[in-house]
Amino acid sequence: MSGGTGTPTPGGGTGTPTPGGGTGTPTPGRGTVFGETMLGTVRLDGEARDRRVRLDLTVSADRLLRPLGTTGARATGRTRIAGWADDPHTEGELEISPLARRRIRYRLTFTADGRRVTLDGWKSVTPRRPVASMTVLPYTLYEDGARIGTGTLRFPLTTGLLPFLASFRFPRPSGGGALLAPRWRGEPGRTEVWYTTLTDPDTGSGVWLHHELTAPADGSAPYAHGWAAVFPPDGPVRHARFGPAEWVPGRTGFGADGVRVRPGRLTGAAEDGALRWDLVERPTQPPLFTFPRWAWRRPLLPAAQMLPAARAAYDGTVTHDGTTLTLTSAPGASARIYGHGNAHRWAWLHADLGGGDVLEIVAAVSTRPGLRRLPPLVFLRLHRDGRTWPRRAERAAVGWAGAGRFRARVGLPTWTVTGRAGLRRVRVEVTQPADRTLTLDYTDPDGRHATCRNSERADAHVLLERWWYGGWRTEAEWTLDGTAHAEVGSR
């Protein structure tokens, strides 16, 4: 990861856009985010029995819902059909128009038994049956435009209404240009990073793109550099560097040596074209601030990290050594770092947990004298069911008056993070196998060298528990086999 001083700096980096907004575009008002679960059945053509279905969605719109008008929204989540499908990377769109068009339409795409399937249906809203019409969704399944089944989903009022109402959030979105634009204003001793990590769902390959601006502390000319890496499931990691090159200030992102990071697009080549990429990025969730939001807006800490979109989907190609990896809706994310350089020691994790759930962790030991002997500060953000836990980013790092801080044991090949906030506690164990880990060296603004050990095919186990009637009970558990993105680094 690169970039940050005295505080963490996660695994390599690239920044990316968020929906809406380029330079000079007015910042939109608040958006809407909520979670919805529906249960039902489907009968596939040619079958004589119904299959049980569960659909868990996170829905996000760039504006407040308009009851008298029509609101378009994005949807991500998980589709489960008994004995046929379990796809945590379902995505699509909703047309929410309860009065203007008297319908709420769902159009979602998921993978079932290796086939790409589209669910298309709508709730027909009528004042004669207000409850039934708002909670019953008849739908049709299609493959390549041909019908392959029909079914009905129902919103469970008894068990689902309170979680549904509690899931509503009205975030103030930041324009993609604002979050992607360079922060550096000419000061010496600064580093700024844009990085992207993703997993190809078809091959299991991991991809890492890192773009960095370094302004040396001695006042010499700033320079841009970076690298790209591919982590195939059946061979050694392939990486290539670009730069150092002259830094040319821009208003929308990163640009140097033919490499570009712009809202919705990442392009470039390294090692004289031996490794090339051309990717379209589609953010599917709102921004996620791993550090306190104020730390990104006002650089009062040695470094800060954030994700312009907690989750994004990538389409395009990555070519290396004559082999082309073609990506379609590959899940991943882009992040930003701005600060004075790398921490003394650090660890980073980005885990797509499926169903729209995302876990981001940065843990680090400061470079400042007297602080190097302290345990790592932990910033942990779990975005689940449309909500982020802990509620405040500072909670994991400082606890309450110094008590109750989250703890990290940083090492290789396995490192862990544990902590408790409110009625929940979490344990995260990350494993970076040596044959799936890439070691890279680079220079910080103060001239000292840093080493990162990055894996875009790491393993992770996440256990979330909740205190319930006198004891801890499992609330959720995730196991990622080769799809976690992680890094351990040191000076």
mmCIF file of all heavy atoms in Angstrom, residues 390-427:
data_model
loop_
_atom_site.group_PDB
_atom_site.id
_atom_site.type_symbol
_atom_site.label_atom_id
_atom_site.label_comp_id
_atom_site.label_asym_id
_atom_site.label_seq_id
_atom_site.Cartn_x
_atom_site.Cartn_y
_atom_site.Cartn_z
ATOM 1 N N PRO A 390 -18.040 -0.092 13.047
ATOM 2 C CA PRO A 390 -18.672 0.759 14.056
ATOM 3 C C PRO A 390 -19.218 2.056 13.445
ATOM 4 O O PRO A 390 -18.771 2.476 12.373
ATOM 5 C CB PRO A 390 -17.526 1.052 15.021
ATOM 6 C CG PRO A 390 -16.525 -0.021 14.800
ATOM 7 C CD PRO A 390 -16.612 -0.338 13.345
ATOM 8 N N ARG A 391 -20.139 2.664 14.160
ATOM 9 C CA ARG A 391 -20.799 3.848 13.607
ATOM 10 C C ARG A 391 -19.800 4.963 13.328
ATOM 11 O O ARG A 391 -19.900 5.651 12.317
ATOM 12 C CB ARG A 391 -21.886 4.339 14.569
ATOM 13 C CG ARG A 391 -22.516 5.648 14.134
ATOM 14 C CD ARG A 391 -23.657 6.050 15.040
ATOM 15 N NE ARG A 391 -24.830 5.222 14.797
ATOM 16 C CZ ARG A 391 -26.012 5.455 15.395
ATOM 17 N NH1 ARG A 391 -26.138 6.456 16.243
ATOM 18 N NH2 ARG A 391 -27.037 4.678 15.126
ATOM 19 N N ARG A 392 -18.827 5.173 14.218
ATOM 20 C CA ARG A 392 -17.819 6.197 14.017
ATOM 21 C C ARG A 392 -16.474 5.544 13.726
ATOM 22 O O ARG A 392 -16.087 4.571 14.389
ATOM 23 C CB ARG A 392 -17.717 7.108 15.235
ATOM 24 C CG ARG A 392 -18.986 7.900 15.514
ATOM 25 C CD ARG A 392 -18.739 8.964 16.561
ATOM 26 N NE ARG A 392 -17.771 9.953 16.102
ATOM 27 C CZ ARG A 392 -18.080 11.017 15.368
ATOM 28 N NH1 ARG A 392 -19.321 11.238 15.003
ATOM 29 N NH2 ARG A 392 -17.143 11.861 15.012
ATOM 30 N N ALA A 393 -15.753 6.087 12.766
ATOM 31 C CA ALA A 393 -14.473 5.506 12.368
ATOM 32 C C ALA A 393 -13.455 5.532 13.500
ATOM 33 O O ALA A 393 -12.589 4.661 13.588
ATOM 34 C CB ALA A 393 -13.922 6.247 11.147
ATOM 35 N N GLU A 394 -13.552 6.536 14.387
ATOM 36 C CA GLU A 394 -12.588 6.650 15.488
ATOM 37 C C GLU A 394 -12.734 5.526 16.508
ATOM 38 O O GLU A 394 -11.812 5.237 17.266
ATOM 39 C CB GLU A 394 -12.761 7.991 16.222
ATOM 40 C CG GLU A 394 -12.585 9.210 15.356
ATOM 41 C CD GLU A 394 -13.903 9.722 14.814
ATOM 42 O OE1 GLU A 394 -14.805 8.875 14.570
ATOM 43 O OE2 GLU A 394 -14.034 10.945 14.595
ATOM 44 N N ARG A 395 -13.910 4.891 16.559
ATOM 45 C CA ARG A 395 -14.198 3.941 17.633
ATOM 46 C C ARG A 395 -13.189 2.801 17.678
ATOM 47 O O ARG A 395 -12.694 2.436 18.748
ATOM 48 C CB ARG A 395 -15.620 3.385 17.447
ATOM 49 C CG ARG A 395 -16.011 2.294 18.440
ATOM 50 C CD ARG A 395 -16.011 2.805 19.869
ATOM 51 N NE ARG A 395 -16.314 1.763 20.826
ATOM 52 C CZ ARG A 395 -15.440 0.887 21.287
ATOM 53 N NH1 ARG A 395 -14.177 0.961 20.876
ATOM 54 N NH2 ARG A 395 -15.775 -0.037 22.147
ATOM 55 N N ALA A 396 -12.862 2.205 16.527
ATOM 56 C CA ALA A 396 -11.939 1.068 16.520
ATOM 57 C C ALA A 396 -10.533 1.488 16.926
ATOM 58 O O ALA A 396 -9.804 0.729 17.564
ATOM 59 C CB ALA A 396 -11.913 0.425 15.130
ATOM 60 N N ALA A 397 -10.138 2.720 16.574
ATOM 61 C CA ALA A 397 -8.759 3.154 16.803
ATOM 62 C C ALA A 397 -8.515 3.626 18.234
ATOM 63 O O ALA A 397 -7.474 3.322 18.820
ATOM 64 C CB ALA A 397 -8.399 4.271 15.827
ATOM 65 N N VAL A 398 -9.468 4.354 18.825
ATOM 66 C CA VAL A 398 -9.212 4.961 20.133
ATOM 67 C C VAL A 398 -10.121 4.446 21.229
ATOM 68 O O VAL A 398 -9.870 4.710 22.409
ATOM 69 C CB VAL A 398 -9.332 6.495 20.052
ATOM 70 C CG1 VAL A 398 -8.354 7.053 19.056
ATOM 71 C CG2 VAL A 398 -10.758 6.913 19.686
ATOM 72 N N GLY A 399 -11.192 3.721 20.874
ATOM 73 C CA GLY A 399 -12.093 3.221 21.897
ATOM 74 C C GLY A 399 -12.776 4.363 22.627
ATOM 75 O O GLY A 399 -13.030 5.429 22.080
ATOM 76 N N TRP A 400 -13.054 4.129 23.905
ATOM 77 C CA TRP A 400 -13.637 5.163 24.752
ATOM 78 C C TRP A 400 -12.594 5.591 25.766
ATOM 79 O O TRP A 400 -12.230 4.829 26.655
ATOM 80 C CB TRP A 400 -14.875 4.626 25.470
ATOM 81 C CG TRP A 400 -15.989 4.292 24.540
ATOM 82 C CD1 TRP A 400 -16.398 3.059 24.143
ATOM 83 C CD2 TRP A 400 -16.823 5.227 23.856
ATOM 84 N NE1 TRP A 400 -17.435 3.144 23.250
ATOM 85 C CE2 TRP A 400 -17.727 4.470 23.057
ATOM 86 C CE3 TRP A 400 -16.904 6.626 23.830
ATOM 87 C CZ2 TRP A 400 -18.692 5.069 22.262
ATOM 88 C CZ3 TRP A 400 -17.872 7.209 23.025
ATOM 89 C CH2 TRP A 400 -18.748 6.442 22.266
ATOM 90 N N ALA A 401 -12.099 6.795 25.605
ATOM 91 C CA ALA A 401 -11.059 7.317 26.501
ATOM 92 C C ALA A 401 -9.870 6.364 26.572
ATOM 93 O O ALA A 401 -9.250 6.192 27.611
ATOM 94 C CB ALA A 401 -11.636 7.550 27.893
ATOM 95 N N GLY A 402 -9.561 5.756 25.455
ATOM 96 C CA GLY A 402 -8.405 4.860 25.390
ATOM 97 C C GLY A 402 -8.710 3.415 25.681
ATOM 98 O O GLY A 402 -7.894 2.530 25.401
ATOM 99 N N ALA A 403 -9.896 3.124 26.239
ATOM 100 C CA ALA A 403 -10.256 1.741 26.558
ATOM 101 C C ALA A 403 -11.098 1.150 25.426
ATOM 102 O O ALA A 403 -11.886 1.849 24.793
ATOM 103 C CB ALA A 403 -11.032 1.693 27.868
ATOM 104 N N GLY A 404 -10.958 -0.137 25.204
ATOM 105 C CA GLY A 404 -11.771 -0.804 24.206
ATOM 106 C C GLY A 404 -11.295 -0.637 22.786
ATOM 107 O O GLY A 404 -12.064 -0.822 21.840
ATOM 108 N N ARG A 405 -10.023 -0.276 22.593
ATOM 109 C CA ARG A 405 -9.494 -0.174 21.227
ATOM 110 C C ARG A 405 -9.433 -1.550 20.586
ATOM 111 O O ARG A 405 -9.218 -2.555 21.248
ATOM 112 C CB ARG A 405 -8.097 0.436 21.240
ATOM 113 C CG ARG A 405 -8.062 1.878 21.716
ATOM 114 C CD ARG A 405 -6.677 2.464 21.547
ATOM 115 N NE ARG A 405 -5.659 1.682 22.236
ATOM 116 C CZ ARG A 405 -4.352 1.890 22.120
ATOM 117 N NH1 ARG A 405 -3.914 2.835 21.326
ATOM 118 N NH2 ARG A 405 -3.498 1.159 22.783
ATOM 119 N N PHE A 406 -9.610 -1.601 19.278
ATOM 120 C CA PHE A 406 -9.431 -2.842 18.547
ATOM 121 C C PHE A 406 -7.941 -3.181 18.523
ATOM 122 O O PHE A 406 -7.097 -2.292 18.564
ATOM 123 C CB PHE A 406 -9.960 -2.707 17.124
ATOM 124 C CG PHE A 406 -11.467 -2.759 17.026
ATOM 125 C CD1 PHE A 406 -12.275 -2.230 18.019
ATOM 126 C CD2 PHE A 406 -12.080 -3.345 15.937
ATOM 127 C CE1 PHE A 406 -13.649 -2.282 17.928
ATOM 128 C CE2 PHE A 406 -13.454 -3.398 15.837
ATOM 129 C CZ PHE A 406 -14.249 -2.853 16.826
ATOM 130 N N ARG A 407 -7.627 -4.464 18.429
ATOM 131 C CA ARG A 407 -6.233 -4.911 18.487
ATOM 132 C C ARG A 407 -5.859 -5.647 17.211
ATOM 133 O O ARG A 407 -6.662 -6.390 16.647
ATOM 134 C CB ARG A 407 -6.014 -5.814 19.701
ATOM 135 C CG ARG A 407 -6.278 -5.097 21.018
ATOM 136 C CD ARG A 407 -6.015 -5.997 22.211
ATOM 137 N NE ARG A 407 -6.285 -5.320 23.466
ATOM 138 C CZ ARG A 407 -5.436 -4.509 24.076
ATOM 139 N NH1 ARG A 407 -4.239 -4.290 23.533
ATOM 140 N NH2 ARG A 407 -5.754 -3.929 25.216
ATOM 141 N N ALA A 408 -4.614 -5.445 16.783
ATOM 142 C CA ALA A 408 -4.090 -6.119 15.594
ATOM 143 C C ALA A 408 -2.781 -6.815 15.928
ATOM 144 O O ALA A 408 -1.924 -6.237 16.619
ATOM 145 C CB ALA A 408 -3.870 -5.124 14.456
ATOM 146 N N ARG A 409 -2.632 -8.037 15.464
ATOM 147 C CA ARG A 409 -1.357 -8.749 15.530
ATOM 148 C C ARG A 409 -0.872 -8.905 14.095
ATOM 149 O O ARG A 409 -1.419 -9.713 13.338
ATOM 150 C CB ARG A 409 -1.533 -10.116 16.202
ATOM 151 C CG ARG A 409 -1.922 -10.019 17.678
ATOM 152 C CD ARG A 409 -2.033 -11.402 18.316
ATOM 153 N NE ARG A 409 -2.357 -11.320 19.725
ATOM 154 C CZ ARG A 409 -1.477 -11.205 20.696
ATOM 155 N NH1 ARG A 409 -0.172 -11.158 20.399
ATOM 156 N NH2 ARG A 409 -1.860 -11.148 21.957
ATOM 157 N N VAL A 410 0.117 -8.103 13.731
ATOM 158 C CA VAL A 410 0.560 -8.015 12.344
ATOM 159 C C VAL A 410 1.771 -8.907 12.117
ATOM 160 O O VAL A 410 2.784 -8.784 12.829
ATOM 161 C CB VAL A 410 0.898 -6.555 11.975
ATOM 162 C CG1 VAL A 410 1.384 -6.468 10.541
ATOM 163 C CG2 VAL A 410 -0.337 -5.663 12.181
ATOM 164 N N GLY A 411 1.672 -9.773 11.148
ATOM 165 C CA GLY A 411 2.772 -10.666 10.791
ATOM 166 C C GLY A 411 2.436 -11.410 9.516
ATOM 167 O O GLY A 411 1.396 -11.179 8.903
ATOM 168 N N LEU A 412 3.313 -12.301 9.124
ATOM 169 C CA LEU A 412 3.096 -13.122 7.938
ATOM 170 C C LEU A 412 3.473 -14.564 8.255
ATOM 171 O O LEU A 412 4.389 -14.805 9.054
ATOM 172 C CB LEU A 412 3.940 -12.616 6.755
ATOM 173 C CG LEU A 412 3.444 -11.337 6.082
ATOM 174 C CD1 LEU A 412 4.448 -10.869 5.034
ATOM 175 C CD2 LEU A 412 2.083 -11.572 5.430
ATOM 176 N N PRO A 413 2.751 -15.535 7.697
ATOM 177 C CA PRO A 413 1.733 -15.373 6.646
ATOM 178 C C PRO A 413 0.345 -15.010 7.157
ATOM 179 O O PRO A 413 -0.559 -14.776 6.350
ATOM 180 C CB PRO A 413 1.710 -16.759 5.997
ATOM 181 C CG PRO A 413 2.038 -17.692 7.122
ATOM 182 C CD PRO A 413 3.055 -16.960 7.965
ATOM 183 N N THR A 414 0.146 -14.970 8.506
ATOM 184 C CA THR A 414 -1.190 -14.731 9.047
ATOM 185 C C THR A 414 -1.178 -13.543 9.999
ATOM 186 O O THR A 414 -0.249 -13.396 10.797
ATOM 187 C CB THR A 414 -1.701 -15.988 9.780
ATOM 188 O OG1 THR A 414 -1.769 -17.087 8.859
ATOM 189 C CG2 THR A 414 -3.088 -15.747 10.370
ATOM 190 N N TRP A 415 -2.171 -12.692 9.884
ATOM 191 C CA TRP A 415 -2.347 -11.601 10.831
ATOM 192 C C TRP A 415 -3.824 -11.510 11.219
ATOM 193 O O TRP A 415 -4.704 -11.981 10.489
ATOM 194 C CB TRP A 415 -1.822 -10.276 10.291
ATOM 195 C CG TRP A 415 -2.341 -9.808 8.968
ATOM 196 C CD1 TRP A 415 -1.898 -10.162 7.724
ATOM 197 C CD2 TRP A 415 -3.394 -8.853 8.753
ATOM 198 N NE1 TRP A 415 -2.602 -9.494 6.757
ATOM 199 C CE2 TRP A 415 -3.517 -8.684 7.352
ATOM 200 C CE3 TRP A 415 -4.223 -8.120 9.592
ATOM 201 C CZ2 TRP A 415 -4.449 -7.823 6.791
ATOM 202 C CZ3 TRP A 415 -5.157 -7.258 9.040
ATOM 203 C CH2 TRP A 415 -5.251 -7.114 7.650
ATOM 204 N N THR A 416 -4.088 -10.913 12.392
ATOM 205 C CA THR A 416 -5.443 -10.895 12.932
ATOM 206 C C THR A 416 -5.814 -9.516 13.458
ATOM 207 O O THR A 416 -4.962 -8.721 13.833
ATOM 208 C CB THR A 416 -5.606 -11.910 14.082
ATOM 209 O OG1 THR A 416 -4.712 -11.554 15.142
ATOM 210 C CG2 THR A 416 -5.297 -13.325 13.610
ATOM 211 N N VAL A 417 -7.118 -9.271 13.496
ATOM 212 C CA VAL A 417 -7.689 -8.078 14.112
ATOM 213 C C VAL A 417 -8.897 -8.519 14.926
ATOM 214 O O VAL A 417 -9.730 -9.289 14.446
ATOM 215 C CB VAL A 417 -8.119 -7.039 13.065
ATOM 216 C CG1 VAL A 417 -8.942 -5.918 13.704
ATOM 217 C CG2 VAL A 417 -6.897 -6.434 12.371
ATOM 218 N N THR A 418 -8.994 -8.042 16.171
ATOM 219 C CA THR A 418 -10.137 -8.342 17.022
ATOM 220 C C THR A 418 -10.618 -7.059 17.682
ATOM 221 O O THR A 418 -9.837 -6.131 17.908
ATOM 222 C CB THR A 418 -9.776 -9.360 18.123
ATOM 223 O OG1 THR A 418 -8.676 -8.856 18.892
ATOM 224 C CG2 THR A 418 -9.374 -10.697 17.511
ATOM 225 N N GLY A 419 -11.900 -7.011 18.003
ATOM 226 C CA GLY A 419 -12.409 -5.829 18.685
ATOM 227 C C GLY A 419 -13.889 -5.923 18.970
ATOM 228 O O GLY A 419 -14.594 -6.782 18.430
ATOM 229 N N ARG A 420 -14.340 -5.017 19.827
ATOM 230 C CA ARG A 420 -15.746 -4.972 20.222
ATOM 231 C C ARG A 420 -16.217 -3.533 20.238
ATOM 232 O O ARG A 420 -15.520 -2.640 20.712
ATOM 233 C CB ARG A 420 -15.932 -5.591 21.608
ATOM 234 C CG ARG A 420 -17.332 -5.427 22.167
ATOM 235 C CD ARG A 420 -17.437 -5.990 23.564
ATOM 236 N NE ARG A 420 -18.736 -5.687 24.157
ATOM 237 C CZ ARG A 420 -19.114 -6.071 25.379
ATOM 238 N NH1 ARG A 420 -18.267 -6.759 26.135
ATOM 239 N NH2 ARG A 420 -20.300 -5.757 25.839
ATOM 240 N N ALA A 421 -17.425 -3.296 19.709
ATOM 241 C CA ALA A 421 -18.059 -1.982 19.766
ATOM 242 C C ALA A 421 -19.542 -2.193 19.989
ATOM 243 O O ALA A 421 -20.194 -2.912 19.223
ATOM 244 C CB ALA A 421 -17.815 -1.191 18.480
ATOM 245 N N GLY A 422 -20.077 -1.611 21.027
ATOM 246 C CA GLY A 422 -21.482 -1.803 21.347
ATOM 247 C C GLY A 422 -21.762 -3.251 21.713
ATOM 248 O O GLY A 422 -21.050 -3.860 22.514
ATOM 249 N N LEU A 423 -22.773 -3.823 21.104
ATOM 250 C CA LEU A 423 -23.170 -5.200 21.380
ATOM 251 C C LEU A 423 -22.572 -6.180 20.394
ATOM 252 O O LEU A 423 -22.967 -7.350 20.372
ATOM 253 C CB LEU A 423 -24.703 -5.316 21.363
ATOM 254 C CG LEU A 423 -25.450 -4.525 22.445
ATOM 255 C CD1 LEU A 423 -26.949 -4.688 22.276
ATOM 256 C CD2 LEU A 423 -25.016 -4.959 23.832
ATOM 257 N N ARG A 424 -21.620 -5.725 19.590
ATOM 258 C CA ARG A 424 -21.018 -6.609 18.596
ATOM 259 C C ARG A 424 -19.507 -6.713 18.818
ATOM 260 O O ARG A 424 -18.876 -5.774 19.288
ATOM 261 C CB ARG A 424 -21.283 -6.098 17.177
ATOM 262 C CG ARG A 424 -22.722 -6.237 16.728
ATOM 263 C CD ARG A 424 -22.881 -5.762 15.286
ATOM 264 N NE ARG A 424 -24.202 -6.037 14.769
ATOM 265 C CZ ARG A 424 -25.245 -5.217 14.908
ATOM 266 N NH1 ARG A 424 -25.090 -4.061 15.538
ATOM 267 N NH2 ARG A 424 -26.425 -5.539 14.413
ATOM 268 N N ARG A 425 -18.960 -7.863 18.440
ATOM 269 C CA ARG A 425 -17.518 -8.019 18.420
ATOM 270 C C ARG A 425 -17.143 -8.779 17.159
ATOM 271 O O ARG A 425 -17.951 -9.522 16.578
ATOM 272 C CB ARG A 425 -17.014 -8.749 19.662
ATOM 273 C CG ARG A 425 -17.358 -10.232 19.744
ATOM 274 C CD ARG A 425 -16.789 -10.840 21.016
ATOM 275 N NE ARG A 425 -17.036 -12.286 21.068
ATOM 276 C CZ ARG A 425 -16.713 -13.053 22.110
ATOM 277 N NH1 ARG A 425 -16.135 -12.503 23.178
ATOM 278 N NH2 ARG A 425 -16.964 -14.351 22.084
ATOM 279 N N VAL A 426 -15.899 -8.602 16.722
ATOM 280 C CA VAL A 426 -15.452 -9.181 15.467
ATOM 281 C C VAL A 426 -14.068 -9.778 15.630
ATOM 282 O O VAL A 426 -13.256 -9.297 16.432
ATOM 283 C CB VAL A 426 -15.448 -8.106 14.346
ATOM 284 C CG1 VAL A 426 -14.351 -7.071 14.581
ATOM 285 C CG2 VAL A 426 -15.297 -8.742 12.966
ATOM 286 N N ARG A 427 -13.825 -10.845 14.891
ATOM 287 C CA ARG A 427 -12.484 -11.424 14.773
ATOM 288 C C ARG A 427 -12.216 -11.654 13.292
ATOM 289 O O ARG A 427 -13.006 -12.282 12.597
ATOM 290 C CB ARG A 427 -12.357 -12.731 15.541
ATOM 291 C CG ARG A 427 -10.984 -13.386 15.329
ATOM 292 C CD ARG A 427 -10.795 -14.668 16.110
ATOM 293 N NE ARG A 427 -9.551 -15.325 15.749
ATOM 294 C CZ ARG A 427 -8.357 -15.001 16.221
ATOM 295 N NH1 ARG A 427 -8.245 -14.023 17.091
ATOM 296 N NH2 ARG A 427 -7.264 -15.628 15.837
#
